[in-house]
């Protein structure tokens, strides 16, 4: 979610509001359980300086890395971020997806 390739970083609270709205829409259209288990990624510009604030948001489950992936140190810092509970969330989602 956001504008990939612009070089502009969305304010974390604005990104959170957008992700929460998507999650609410999914809950209404499908189920709260599916909405809670579905990983939603932030697709705007992300950098080593912004990844912590973006990933700290409760409804942002990951990031799509663009230009920051071209510099090894920047990319390494971003991919080394660990969000508590994300692995379990993705595993639960995968189980539900495979059960369909």
């Amino acid at each position: 979610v956001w504008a990939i390739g612009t070089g502009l970083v969305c304010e974390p609270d604005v990104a959170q509001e957008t992700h929460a709205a998507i999650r609410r829409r999914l809950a209404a259209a499908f189920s709260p359980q599916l909405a809670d288990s579905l990983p939603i990624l932030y697709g705007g510009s992300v950098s080593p300086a912004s990844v912590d604030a973006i990933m700290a948001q409760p409804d942002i489950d990951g990031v799509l890395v663009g230009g920051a992936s071209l510099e090894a140190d920047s990319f390494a810092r971003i991919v080394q971020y660990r969000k508590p509970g994300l692995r379990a969330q993705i595993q639960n989602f995968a189980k539900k997806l495979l059960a369909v």
Side-chain angles (χ1 to χ4, degrees), residues 10-65:
C10 179
E11 291 296 323
D13 60 327
V14 174
Q16 167 56 28
E17 289 174 22
T18 304
H19 282 73
I22 291 169
R23 203 169 300 280
R24 285 191 303 273
R25 185 83 161 176
L26 289 167
F30 300 101
S31 74
Q33 296 80 14
L34 176 71
D36 288 342
S37 67
L38 182 69
I40 302 175
L41 306 181
Y42 169 78
S45 293
V46 66
S47 69
S50 65
V51 69
D52 292 334
I54 292 169
M55 288 298 296
Q57 304 305 310
D59 288 298
I60 298 177
D61 302 312
V63 295
L64 297 173
V65 183

Side-chain angles (χ1 to χ4, degrees), residues 51-98:
V51 69
D52 292 334
I54 292 169
M55 288 298 296
Q57 304 305 310
D59 288 298
I60 298 177
D61 302 312
V63 295
L64 297 173
V65 183
S69 67
L70 299 176
E71 185 181 321
D73 290 340
S74 292
F75 186 60
R77 165 66 178 91
I78 293 167
V79 300
Q80 289 173 356
Y81 183 90
R82 297 288 184 259
K83 185 166 187 166
L86 184 58
R87 177 182 290 270
Q89 179 184 354
I90 292 171
Q91 288 172 336
N92 289 335
F93 175 71
K95 287 178 188 175
K96 289 177 185 177
L97 187 63
L98 294 173

